[in-house]
Amino acid sequence: MNSKTMFYILKRIGLALLTIWVVITVTFFVMHAVPGGPFMSEKAVSPTAQAALEAKYGLDKPLLEQYGTYLKDIVTKFDFGPSVKQRGRMVIDVIADGMKTSAKLGVIAAAVAGVVGIVLGAWAALRRNKLIDKTIMVITTAFVSMPSFIMGSLLLVLFAITWMVLPANGAAKGGLVLPIITLSLYPMAYITRLTRSSMLDVLGQDYIRTAKAKGVSRAKIIFGHALKNSLIPVITYFGPMLAYIVTGSLVVEKIFAVPGIGRAFVTSITSRDYPMVMGTTIVLAVLIVVMNLVSDILYKVVDPRINFD
Amino acid sequence: MKKILALLLVLAMMLALAACSESTNPTNGGTDTPAKASSIAVCLASEPDTLDPALNSAVDGATMIAHLFSGLAKWAQDDKGNLVIVADTAKELVEGVVNPDGTVTYTYTIRDGAKWSDGKDVTAKDFEFAWQRAASEALGADYGYMFEVVDGYGTDSLNVKAVDDKTLEVTLANAVAYWNELLAFPVYFPVREDVVSDESWATKPETYVCNGAYTITGWEHNSVITMEKNANYVDADKITMDKIEFYLSDDANNMVANFKNGTWQLIDDVPTNEMETLKKEYPEEYVVAGQIGTYYVCWNIGEDILPEGSGLTGNEAELARAEIRSAISLLFDRNYIVEEIGQGGQVPASSFVAMGMTNPDGTQFYKTAGHNDFEGYINVSKDAVESNFNQAIETLKKYYDYDGAKFTNFPTMNYLYNTSEAHKAIGEYLQAQLASIGITMNMENQEWATFLQTRKNGDYSIARNGWVADYNDPICFLDMWITASGNNDVQFGKGEHANVSIYSLDLTDLGYDVKVENGTWAETYDVLIKTIKGCTDNNVRYELMHRAEDLLMSTGCICPIYYYTDTYMISKNVKGFFSNPLGYKYFMYCTIDG
């Protein structure tokens, strides 16, 4: 790695930190500017009780002071504070609990999408205009155009109710199978189409023809040259795919009752659980920023022609 | 090549599936076999905010707590299947002794053998501590106000003390008809000081020490809470269900899927758009139970709805507004709303105090309300829809210009509701009804917490509202409308309404020296509620509550729509299940056939 690359990476890390700081600051102030508070309920608590609760969680202090304390606590102690609504639980514990499941769901879905997508795409490209190519293209078009909540509901009805082969509840044994399939279908279909067109493009290049003319084996041409080079666009899709999986999992977790981070994120906003809103937002922001960074660096690794200037 | 690729593909799929599925037979979800006789899996809602009896304010949380804790009293079914309140940790539910100053003292004895799940004895001290804690402002519990009947509420200390380990003495400010029911309410359950000193005690099985029929043996957050029979429970031999799994999900579609495939034996929610189908498909399993609550629409009393140049001011104007609001209430067909929009078996509402509340003689409170030749304040029978509508038009004609089909100078109003398809549909119906006579009502939806704040502040003309009882006494519907109440969304007695003197109150026929003519809200309604709370004669008390509702409904600010129901599905193999009017569900005496 040359010093230029090193500098680029450092610069990107600096920018990433800045982005996260901006996300924290904006979320913090917007969240407090929204009407309603964590102690608002259909059945009102007495004003004195409300004051006591606000004092307990430091919400009675001036907003800037609360902001300062919050930043200090996360930077120096990695302390996200207690949840205001789920009394007795720390934000970090709730997030850790949810992330265990969500990460498993997300990582496996991404892996399935990547592996299956690339294989199918390559296969379709090599069998261009044959029956298998057309079948793959029709199916992937369907998957790309079908939103995950419809796909999820469909799979739920078929596999969990009609055939009863998989559980409908994400927390049960094997309960993640349907959510993973639902979540991976769209990116898988997308990757398939991406790989196919990119592979077709590469297969038409002069150097492939040269290799063929030189008598290089078909396997070596496909795996050594064509596939590797056709993966560059696929890698650029890595960042958007992650964003899709993160946001898509909110929907999928709901359909299949998966105990992931998605629910905590959504309900914390409705219930004005300030520390929980901050915690989940920061975690998701860090995740997306880091993944984009990784995706950019990988891009360079796969394609040395790319210049970081 | 094709073969290699196909092989790779199959391999990748198998790997991926194997990675996330550790089970060979996942059909039954969390239960290994389909519901053994001693185990039941249910789903009420998503993870409760808390399982601390003092802090909980949710119905699903209360159901779980009722399985985990034992208070002085509990809900039970008698031999005939009727719901009754019986002694639980108390030896018996004693009568109170009236003191010379009008306060009432109850002395309870704790049953022998009452133990905590860790084996320690349950003492009167535990109750004393729990009650002081729950009522304290430092804790800030939503239901802290449930102790307002106890002498000393609002000061540093409630008038409750443990005379010795076995004897608990509590003094109420005056006799309270529903006291035994309060004793069966979670906020009155005991907790132990050393246990709750750890603030996270109620979030994990290891630290959750309780004294009820069950203990928590497993808690996967947002996923499932597992309860197993508590061997230390004083009545453990009477508990027939060994294990209950409370699955935590709030997605009604997912619940139905898990019910249909037999994984869960009870689900507490069904999607509105599937209600009709499910009712037909599962006639035995689909249950619509009564719930003491009213869905209604409230007006902001400060909203001026008189036409420009009406010439009415002050008290006259307020009387006119009350008449107009009451007339608008008559425009709506509540049968249409429950049958076509709600579809959940709701009952058209003719009063604010909900169906399910009973008079001392056992008759329904709402049926004897209103002093009309029909039940309640509004005739909600299907035959009356047209006459109600015409009556409303005649009233409105007194105040607005009418061109034979429409009113032309009714000011534009706003309808505030919280974001939800169901609330929106009802709002749109109301909007269409008003539009048909020329009244424009714009719809504004807000997200829940914002909505609560806006409505509380009175920044609206008309708002969607609802109230569900906390205990089986009409006062919990009536005391929320006193001037100082935190739930006084209508803004009675606030702002300009503080000086409106059009209300009358005469209680001399009931033996009270109270007679007010053309008084303010504070001089009439607030006084009436205070009188009810101090009244010890139950028959008089109910008469007073009827009068309070009369006064409330005369303002026209409350437009009842329907009485809530609790729709759930329960597998027909489950026997011995019951629920109470507050919506708590009891599984401890269940057995499973087949």
Side-chain angles (χ1 to χ4, degrees):
Chain A
M1 200 182 291
N2 59 28
S3 61
K4 222 176 191 178
T5 316
M6 207 57 209
F7 177 73
Y8 172 80
I9 291 173
L10 283 177
K11 195 175 85 183
R12 283 297 309 265
I13 291 173
L15 271 174
L17 289 175
L18 184 72
T19 311
I20 290 162
W21 173 75
V22 170
V23 167
I24 292 176
T25 309
V26 170
T27 313
F28 188 90
F29 288 101
V30 167
M31 179 179 79
H32 279 93
V34 175
F39 310 118
M40 219 42 222
S41 73
E42 182 109 54
K43 310 208 166 175
V45 291
S46 75
T48 34
Q50 179 154 348
L53 286 173
E54 279 172 1
K56 179 181 160 83
Y57 292 104
L59 295 170
D60 54 339
K61 306 233 169 57
L63 202 53
L64 269 179
E65 190 185 329
Q66 288 182 45
Y67 172 69
T69 319
Y70 188 78
L71 269 192
K72 205 180 95 201
D73 283 352
I74 33 177
V75 174
T76 58
K77 294 185 277 184
F78 201 64
D79 177 6
F80 289 83
S83 160
V84 179
K85 282 306 251 194
Q86 299 184 43
R87 295 274 287 261
R89 294 197 76 197
M90 300 304 283
V91 169
I92 195 81
D93 295 338
V94 178
I95 292 180
D97 262 351
M99 273 313 273
K100 264 193 289 192
T101 312
S102 287
K104 196 166 158 189
L105 176 62
V107 168
I108 300 178
V112 170
V115 173
V116 179
I118 291 168
V119 172
L120 281 182
W123 191 5
L126 294 173
R127 289 280 172 274
R128 191 181 181 186
N129 288 336
K130 301 259 171 59
L131 181 67
I132 190 69
D133 176 32
K134 287 184 176 151
T135 315
I136 290 174
M137 281 304 103
V138 167
I139 293 173
T140 52
T141 309
F143 289 162
V144 167
S145 39
M146 204 186 289
S148 60
F149 66 92
I150 292 185
M151 182 53 83
S153 310
L154 193 69
L155 292 176
L156 185 74
V157 169
L158 291 180
F159 288 90
I161 301 177
T162 314
W163 300 326
M164 290 210 241
V165 287
L166 286 168
N169 171 29
K173 277 183 187 168
L176 284 185
V177 175
L178 287 178
I180 287 170
I181 296 177
T182 311
L183 200 53
S184 61
L185 281 182
Y186 174 85
M188 182 209 82
Y190 198 90
I191 290 174
T192 306
R193 300 170 68 82
L194 212 56
T195 312
R196 178 182 176 270
S197 61
S198 159
M199 185 103 168
L200 285 178
D201 187 40
V202 172
L203 286 175
Q205 297 284 329
D206 288 346
Y207 64 86
I208 298 289
R209 207 174 307 132
T210 312
K212 270 188 199 160
K214 277 170 67 185
V216 179
S217 76
R218 188 170 152 82
K220 196 164 180 207
I221 292 177
I222 292 169
F223 293 103
H225 302 287
L227 196 59
K228 191 184 165 201
N229 286 321
S230 52
L231 285 188
I232 296 170
V234 177
I235 285 167
T236 54
Y237 176 63
F238 194 73
M241 175 171 80
L242 189 92
Y244 169 84
I245 284 181
V246 168
T247 51
S249 69
L250 301 189
V251 178
V252 173
E253 283 179 13
K254 192 167 162 52
I255 296 175
F256 296 100
V258 176
I261 193 79
R263 205 190 141 266
F265 185 50
V266 176
T267 52
S268 65
I269 298 171
T270 8
S271 63
R272 302 287 187 278
D273 192 341
Y274 295 145
M276 194 67 93
V277 175
M278 291 306 298
T280 41
T281 311
I282 293 172
V283 167
L284 293 185
V286 168
L287 196 68
I288 290 181
V289 167
V290 168
M291 287 305 166
N292 272 318
L293 187 65
V294 170
S295 155
D296 283 357
I297 294 169
L298 267 183
Y299 201 25
K300 163 86 184 163
V301 174
V302 178
D303 188 355
R305 288 171 303 179
I306 288 164
N307 203 329
F308 282 131
D309 287 337
Chain B
M1 191 64 222
K2 192 159 80 179
K3 271 184 195 152
I4 295 177
L5 273 173
L7 208 65
L8 263 178
L9 184 70
V10 170
L11 205 68
M13 281 185 147
M14 277 171 61
L15 268 177
L17 291 185
C20 50
S21 148
E22 291 121 24
S23 159
T24 46
N25 173 24
T27 321
N28 296 310
T31 50
D32 295 326
T33 54
K36 281 176 288 186
S38 57
S39 160
I40 188 170
V42 302
C43 182
L44 306 175
S46 53
E47 170 132 341
D49 277 340
T50 173
L51 281 185
D52 183 327
L55 291 171
N56 169 66
S57 60
V59 174
D60 50 299
T63 292
M64 294 184 202
I65 291 166
H67 286 84
L68 293 163
F69 281 88
S70 155
L72 293 178
K74 69 175 176 189
W75 288 86
Q77 265 183 321
D78 65 10
D79 299 339
K80 292 181 191 125
N82 297 321
L83 278 182
V84 282
I85 303 257
V86 296
D88 198 5
T89 298
K91 257 188 184 142
E92 56 175 333
L93 295 177
V94 292
E95 294 288 323
V97 177
V98 183
N99 303 312
D101 61 353
T103 58
V104 186
T105 301
Y106 291 82
T107 310
Y108 294 98
T109 311
I110 308 291
R111 273 172 74 178
D112 294 329
K115 286 188 189 307
W116 291 99
S117 51
D118 62 359
K120 289 191 183 166
D121 286 339
V122 175
T123 66
K125 191 89 196 149
D126 297 328
F127 278 92
E128 181 192 330
F129 167 76
W131 293 9
Q132 299 286 11
R133 169 180 182 260
S136 72
E137 283 187 333
L139 190 72
D142 282 3
Y143 277 143
Y145 73 86
M146 295 286 267
F147 287 92
E148 68 175 358
V149 297
V150 180
D151 186 41
Y153 177 76
T155 64
D156 291 345
S157 161
L158 294 176
N159 195 344
V160 52
K161 63 172 186 289
V163 181
D164 55 46
D165 275 358
K166 288 275 175 199
T167 317
L168 183 75
E169 199 175 273
V170 54
T171 302
L172 309 191
N174 48 261
V176 175
Y178 50 96
W179 172 241
N180 283 344
E181 202 162 305
L182 287 180
L183 293 178
F185 196 79
V187 78
Y188 276 84
F189 290 171
V191 290
R192 220 167 65 201
E193 192 167 1
D194 61 305
V195 172
V196 304
S197 60
D198 165 12
E199 212 179 333
S200 64
W201 76 277
T203 64
K204 39 190 190 280
E206 311 85 81
T207 50
Y208 200 89
V209 177
C210 49
N211 73 327
Y214 293 83
T215 54
I216 299 183
T217 51
W219 188 340
E220 288 169 47
H221 286 286
N222 294 312
S223 167
V224 58
I225 293 176
T226 309
M227 294 185 193
E228 285 178 57
K229 206 163 140 176
N230 174 10
N232 282 321
Y233 176 49
V234 61
D235 274 336
D237 52 333
K238 294 188 183 129
I239 305 299
T240 50
M241 182 56 66
D242 292 325
K243 181 174 160 192
I244 312 171
E245 286 171 303
F246 287 94
Y247 280 88
L248 309 170
S249 161
D250 56 2
D251 190 273
N253 289 299
N254 187 271
M255 286 190 200
V256 169
N258 279 293
F259 183 81
K260 281 185 173 175
N261 71 17
T263 310
W264 295 341
Q265 283 81 51
L266 180 136
I267 55 168
D268 209 7
D269 198 7
V270 289
T272 311
N273 53 12
E274 279 195 55
M275 282 176 168
E276 280 305 313
T277 331
L278 289 170
K279 220 183 291 178
K280 286 194 195 102
E281 240 178 279
Y282 296 90
E284 286 176 72
E285 290 92 341
Y286 188 93
V287 184
V288 178
Q291 188 180 20
I292 309 181
T294 308
Y295 186 106
Y296 64 102
V297 167
C298 69
W299 291 76
N300 179 353
I301 201 158
E303 177 80 4
D304 198 0
I305 45 170
L306 288 168
E308 262 184 73
S310 68
L312 296 170
T313 51
N315 291 347
E316 268 183 356
E318 189 47 47
L319 281 168
R321 281 193 285 265
E323 199 182 354
I324 293 164
R325 288 187 292 252
S326 301
I328 287 183
S329 251
L330 295 175
L331 292 169
F332 310 121
D333 179 357
R334 289 157 177 82
N335 291 289
Y336 177 84
I337 295 179
V338 300
E339 283 162 21
E340 303 298 325
I341 305 174
Q343 295 187 13
Q346 298 94 338
V347 178
S350 56
S351 64
F352 178 60
V353 175
M355 181 178 76
M357 290 286 184
T358 49
N359 290 309
D361 63 2
T363 54
Q364 286 282 338
F365 190 88
Y366 82 97
K367 290 195 176 180
T368 56
H371 320 285
N372 294 304
D373 49 11
F374 48 85
E375 291 161 357
Y377 297 88
I378 298 161
N379 190 347
V380 295
S381 73
K382 284 183 181 169
D383 313 332
V385 172
E386 202 179 327
S387 61
N388 280 348
F389 194 88
N390 295 337
Q391 190 190 332
I393 300 289
E394 289 311 311
T395 309
L396 294 176
K397 273 187 196 167
K398 289 199 282 186
Y399 301 101
Y400 303 93
D401 299 335
Y402 190 62
D403 66 4
K406 293 190 167 179
F407 293 98
T408 52
N409 60 342
F410 201 105
T412 299
M413 299 180 294
N414 270 325
Y415 182 74
L416 181 72
Y417 66 101
N418 55 303
T419 313
S420 132
E421 283 306 313
H423 300 324
K424 186 178 172 198
I426 289 176
E428 282 170 348
Y429 167 76
L430 305 178
Q431 184 184 40
Q433 281 299 93
L434 291 172
S436 72
I437 56 164
I439 301 175
T440 308
M441 183 174 81
N442 297 321
M443 307 269 292
E444 183 187 353
N445 84 84
Q446 287 182 351
E447 162 280 340
W448 180 240
T450 311
F451 167 77
L452 285 180
Q453 185 80 60
T454 313
R455 195 174 67 185
K456 190 182 160 88
N457 293 347
D459 297 331
Y460 69 96
S461 337
I462 307 178
R464 181 250 127 190
N465 216 325
W467 193 257
V468 177
D470 299 322
Y471 45 92
N472 198 353
D473 191 284
I475 191 67
C476 68
F477 276 83
L478 298 168
D479 70 352
M480 61 190 276
W481 299 115
I482 60 168
T483 310
S485 160
N487 294 303
N488 177 7
D489 296 331
V490 171
Q491 318 292 321
F492 286 120
K494 294 182 180 174
E496 286 181 19
H497 191 247
N499 303 317
V500 171
S501 313
I502 53 169
Y503 306 107
S504 296
L505 182 66
D506 184 357
L507 304 180
T508 48
D509 60 324
L510 296 172
Y512 287 94
D513 186 20
V514 177
K515 188 166 182 178
V516 185
E517 265 179 63
N518 293 326
T520 61
W521 189 255
E523 286 162 349
T524 52
Y525 196 83
D526 290 5
V527 170
L528 184 49
I529 295 299
K530 202 165 169 232
T531 312
I532 294 167
K533 290 194 169 175
C535 178
T536 51
D537 180 326
N538 216 21
N539 288 317
V540 174
R541 192 168 165 274
Y542 271 78
E543 173 56 27
L544 290 169
M545 291 199 284
H546 275 301
R547 289 190 191 182
E549 193 182 17
D550 293 345
L551 186 53
L552 174 69
M553 295 303 287
S554 75
T555 64
C557 286
I558 307 290
C559 168
I561 304 285
Y562 61 69
Y563 301 126
Y564 283 113
T565 46
D566 179 16
T567 309
Y568 58 88
M569 295 183 73
I570 179 165
S571 157
K572 55 186 170 195
N573 299 334
V574 178
K575 307 290 176 215
F577 167 82
F578 67 97
S579 67
N580 79 2
L582 306 176
Y584 306 176
K585 298 185 165 59
Y586 294 83
F587 305 103
M588 54 262 265
Y589 307 113
C590 287
T591 49
I592 292 185
D593 283 357

